[in-house]
């Protein structure tokens, strides 16, 4: 393969400015990740420990194999919402190795509103289940859950994608043979009770763990029965009387050790061995933290990113002299073959055709796809329409939608309009979608949106334009788009699977590729493209 050559001058003014901006973005990301993990709830944490309980991430660390990585998903879910009182949406999800097997963890954080489910909690729980289901990962539920947060019941309970769908998925996962194991550490009330009740095996901790469809207060109101929580749904009762529980543990470490034993007893399914010998890139992946220019309008070559991701900085580029606004090619990341599509500008008709052709090649060869998004959209205008951009962009959307190979998306810059679709945005169900702190997701940029809204406002006026009103419209639109395009706004609402430091991208993508190869590829006919 051809070895890529970097042309970045780190000593130039632009290089120094980009490095400084990258450091600022990383410091902000790290600060917010720390706050999401343990910040702002010291009293709740003290009370939690006083009950003999471990913190949620300590439980996960206990179960993981020694010196193995944990890929946490959406750690900043619900950031900036609810007065920042629901960090990480009150639930930790992610993938780690247990007894040699990759497993999905779904773990309630009882120090956050008692582990209750908010809208984003449900969404995060469901997303973790979807990944586990598609990639056939054993699902480990570390349950410490107060059920739905009642003031949010209209955003949690009744709809198709609300709390009930989590249980629907849990049943369908079991039908498909995906192992699901629960360890219960605290109260599991109402909907929370179904998480362990629907699991293959259950471990409960004596004294702290409880499972009941209605707690003592509901029982009192419903049938005028007075009963304490331990008698109603304690671990001993469910072990010796109801049979809901399978394993009684004296404390949390014993429960977590039993969880590891259960995983070890499952049929082995280790991570696949890389097809090629892994090699480091010629260029340091740490430089990715400073690769994006300070001015988002300033173009840069996507090959600079690829050269710091792929093994040996080698890329077999496909059609390098045609459709230049889309870079396509085959390489490897940590020895795992991958087909890469990366934006170098708006997608013109020839770039869309090139992308469609390349996706078909990857399908034919069974090579996973990686989309590196920095896209203003598909080209507009008379020339573009006469060149068939509507038809060619539709073909690319078809190809992305119907690709049988695993897809992974990394948003490194702008992700606007239909470009988000053609480059495998959230709606196109990539196996994983991560973003950099430089990402921006919206229908269009703030500049274009404000101009469009001003043009519409002027066209609707019957008299002279009120310039003060026009200025206020422009200010309001710019403020809205700036706020809603912010990467933290997006990750808070789980439009991605997490913000990652650019320098961590090679490792995260390698793990994602290894996991994605577990997906059973469908064998359907190739769709017909209107050429």
């Amino acid at each position: 393969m051809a070895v890529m050559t970097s042309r970045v001058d780190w000593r130039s003014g632009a290089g120094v400015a980009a490095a400084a901006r990258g450091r600022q973005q990383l410091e902000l990301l790290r600060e917010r990740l720390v706050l999401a993990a343990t910040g702002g709830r010291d009293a709740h944490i003290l009370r939690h420990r006083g009950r003999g309980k471990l913190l949620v991430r300590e439980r996960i660390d206990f179960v993981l194999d020694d010196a193995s990585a944990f890929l946490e998903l959406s750690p900043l879910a619900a950031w900036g919402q609810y007065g920042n009182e629901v960090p990480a949406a009150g639930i930790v999800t992610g993938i780690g190795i247990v007894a040699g097997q990759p497993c999905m963890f779904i773990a309630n954080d009882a120090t956050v509103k008692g582990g209750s489910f908010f809208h984003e909690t449900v969404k995060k729980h469901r997303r973790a289940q979807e990944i586990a289901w598609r990639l056939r990962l054993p699902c480990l539920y570390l349950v410490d859950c107060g059920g739905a947060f009642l003031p949010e019941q209209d955003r949690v309970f009744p709809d198709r994608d609300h709390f009930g769908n989590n249980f629907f998925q849990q049943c369908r996962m079991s039908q498909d043979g995906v192992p699901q194991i629960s360890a219960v550490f605290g109260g599991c009330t109402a909907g929370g009770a179904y998480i362990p009740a629907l699991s293959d095996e259950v471990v409960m901790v004596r004294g702290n763990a409880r499972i009941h469809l209605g707690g003592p207060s509901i029982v009192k109101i419903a049938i005028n029965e007075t009963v304490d929580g331990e008698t109603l749904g304690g671990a001993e009762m469910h072990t010796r009387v109801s049979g809901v529980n399978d394993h009684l543990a004296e404390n949390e470490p014993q429960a977590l050790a039993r969880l590891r034993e259960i995983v070890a007893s499952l049929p082995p399914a280790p991570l696949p061995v890389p097809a090629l010998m892994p090699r480091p890139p010629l260029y340091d992946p740490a430089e990715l933290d400073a690769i994006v220019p300070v001015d988002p309008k300033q173009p840069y070559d996507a090959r600079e990113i690829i050269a710091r991701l792929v093994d040996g900085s080698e890329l077999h580029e496909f059609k390098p002299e045609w459709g230049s606004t889309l870079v396509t090619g085959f390489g490897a990341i940590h020895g795992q073959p991958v087909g890469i599509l990366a934006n170098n500008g708006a997608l013109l008709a020839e770039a869309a055709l090139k992308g469609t052709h390349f996706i078909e090649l990857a399908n034919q060869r069974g090579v996973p796809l990686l989309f590196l998004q920095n896209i203003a959209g598909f080209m507009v205008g008379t020339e573009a329409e006469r060149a068939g951009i509507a038809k060619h962009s539709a073909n690319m959307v078809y190809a992305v939608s119907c690709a049988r190979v695993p897809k992974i998306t990394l948003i490194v810059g702008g992700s606007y309009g239909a470009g988000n679709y053609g480059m495998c945005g959230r709606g196109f169900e990539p196996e994983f979608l991560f973003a950099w702190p430089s990402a921006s997701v919206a229908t269009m940029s703030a500049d274009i949106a404000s101009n469009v809204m001003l043009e519409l406002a002027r066209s609707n006026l019957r008299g002279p334009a009120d310039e003060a009103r026009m200025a206020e419209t422009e200010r309001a639109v710019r403020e809205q788009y700036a706020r809603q395009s912010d990467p933290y706004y997006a990750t808070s609402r789980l439009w991605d699977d997490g913000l990652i430091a650019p320098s961590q991208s090679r490792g995260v993508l390698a793990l994602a590729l290894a996991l994605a190869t577990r997906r059973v590829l469908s064998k359907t006919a190739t769709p017909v493209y209107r050429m």
Side-chain angles (χ1 to χ4, degrees):
M1 292 189 191
V3 176
M4 309 179 76
T5 302
S6 175
R7 293 177 172 82
V8 175
D9 181 3
W10 295 113
R11 295 169 296 182
S12 69
V16 172
R21 177 173 178 260
R23 286 192 297 271
Q24 290 175 350
Q25 289 180 331
L26 282 182
E27 287 170 7
L28 180 62
L29 176 61
R30 289 166 182 155
E31 174 187 310
R32 292 184 172 183
L33 288 172
V34 169
L35 285 172
T38 57
R41 53 188 189 280
D42 292 348
H44 296 287
I45 290 173
L46 283 173
R47 184 171 60 189
H48 188 81
R49 291 199 183 281
R51 293 169 176 165
K53 293 174 144 190
L54 299 171
L55 297 181
V56 62
R57 290 175 178 82
E58 292 172 344
R59 290 169 179 163
I60 293 171
D61 286 344
F62 192 104
V63 178
L64 292 173
D65 289 357
D66 291 342
S68 66
F70 179 65
L71 178 61
E72 186 170 345
L73 303 173
S74 301
L76 293 173
W79 177 265
Q81 302 185 68
Y82 313 106
N84 254 351
E85 293 181 356
V86 191
I91 192 169
V92 176
T93 63
I95 301 168
I97 308 299
V98 181
Q101 280 211 66
C103 296
M104 175 64 76
F105 286 81
I106 301 179
N108 305 111
D109 187 349
T111 70
V112 179
K113 303 294 184 182
S116 297
F117 275 71
F118 289 69
H119 175 73
E120 289 74 20
T121 318
V122 172
K123 194 172 181 180
K124 186 171 174 179
H125 182 115
R126 188 176 69 250
R127 172 60 177 159
Q129 285 181 311
E130 288 171 354
I131 293 172
W133 194 355
R134 294 183 72 173
L135 306 185
R136 308 196 69 78
L137 301 172
C139 206
L140 310 183
Y141 301 95
L142 307 186
V143 192
D144 204 342
C145 168
F149 185 66
L150 296 182
E152 285 275 302
Q153 68 90 24
D154 64 323
R155 302 178 69 229
V156 172
F157 173 70
D159 208 352
R160 176 190 177 276
D161 292 331
H162 286 177
F163 209 179
N165 188 253
N166 293 2
F167 308 132
F168 174 77
Q169 288 200 146
Q170 202 170 340
C171 296
R172 296 294 301 275
M173 290 164 70
S174 183
Q175 182 185 43
D176 281 356
V178 177
Q180 296 174 89
I181 306 153
S182 283
V184 183
F185 304 99
C188 300
T189 304
Y194 284 108
I195 298 171
L198 291 171
S199 295
D200 305 343
E201 290 190 60
V202 181
V203 184
M204 294 181 72
V205 178
R206 188 197 302 272
N208 275 339
R210 294 175 186 170
I211 297 174
H212 32 56
L213 295 186
S217 59
I218 293 178
V219 170
K220 177 65 175 176
I221 294 168
I223 63 172
N224 199 30
E225 177 186 337
T226 301
V227 63
D228 65 88
E230 190 65 24
T231 302
L232 181 63
E236 286 197 61
M237 187 282 290
H238 278 309
T239 304
R240 299 191 168 100
V241 180
S242 74
V244 169
N245 184 46
D246 304 306
H247 308 280
L248 180 63
E250 295 300 320
N251 50 48
E252 291 202 6
Q254 190 179 97
L256 295 166
R258 181 57 55 90
L259 190 64
R260 279 187 55 85
E261 290 174 14
I262 296 170
V263 175
S265 72
L266 298 174
L271 284 167
V273 176
L276 306 168
M277 181 64 69
R279 292 174 296 143
L282 296 182
Y283 303 98
D284 189 351
E287 294 176 347
L288 291 170
D289 289 336
I291 209 74
V292 176
V294 173
D295 182 358
K297 296 178 183 178
Q298 181 181 340
Y300 60 93
D301 193 342
R303 294 174 183 85
E304 298 289 354
I305 296 175
I306 298 171
R308 291 159 177 83
L309 290 177
V310 296
D311 292 3
S313 298
E314 294 177 357
L315 184 73
H316 172 60
E317 196 166 341
F318 176 71
K319 288 186 180 292
E321 306 298 328
W322 193 72
S324 60
T325 59
L326 184 68
V327 178
T328 56
F330 293 101
I333 298 178
H334 278 273
Q336 298 167 110
V338 63
I340 299 174
L341 297 93
N343 300 120
N344 252 359
L347 287 167
L348 282 68
E350 58 266 29
L353 274 173
K354 174 179 171 178
T356 301
H357 189 169
F358 182 75
I359 292 168
E360 290 179 329
L361 277 181
N363 261 319
Q364 185 186 68
R365 299 173 185 179
V367 178
L369 289 165
L370 169 62
F371 296 83
L372 299 177
Q373 282 199 18
N374 179 30
I375 177 66
F378 289 100
M379 182 55 72
V380 297
T382 303
E383 185 178 347
E385 297 296 351
R386 290 173 67 86
I389 189 63
K391 174 176 63 177
H392 299 315
S393 64
N395 286 340
M396 187 171 177
V397 169
Y398 255 115
V400 172
S401 303
C402 300
R404 298 186 298 276
V405 295
K407 299 170 291 186
I408 298 169
T409 301
L410 178 61
I411 303 177
V412 303
S415 177
Y416 298 120
N420 173 280
Y421 303 159
M423 289 295 292
C424 198
R426 191 61 143 177
F428 289 76
E429 299 188 353
E431 268 60 42
F432 295 95
L433 188 153
F434 297 102
W436 285 359
S438 52
S440 179
V441 182
T443 52
M444 59 189 73
S445 70
D447 287 342
I448 295 176
S450 61
N451 288 331
V452 169
M453 293 302 294
L454 284 175
E455 190 67 28
L456 288 172
R458 286 195 172 93
S459 67
N460 289 329
L461 288 174
R462 293 196 174 96
D466 182 339
E467 293 305 322
R469 183 179 171 188
M470 293 296 102
E472 174 57 23
T473 297
E474 181 180 16
R475 185 205 63 77
V477 172
R478 283 186 178 277
E479 186 279 328
Q480 176 194 354
Y481 272 75
R483 174 171 49 86
Q484 296 180 352
S485 301
D486 186 86
Y488 292 95
Y489 186 96
T491 202
S492 172
R493 288 153 181 81
L494 288 102
W495 298 351
D496 55 52
D497 293 317
L499 293 181
I500 61 173
S503 53
Q504 295 176 334
S505 299
R506 180 171 150 84
V508 170
L509 293 173
L511 179 55
L513 281 168
L515 293 166
T517 58
R518 295 170 57 95
R519 202 188 92 202
V520 178
L521 302 186
S522 61
K523 296 181 179 180
T524 56
T526 300
V528 176
Y529 301 119
R530 286 196 323 134
M531 308 302 279

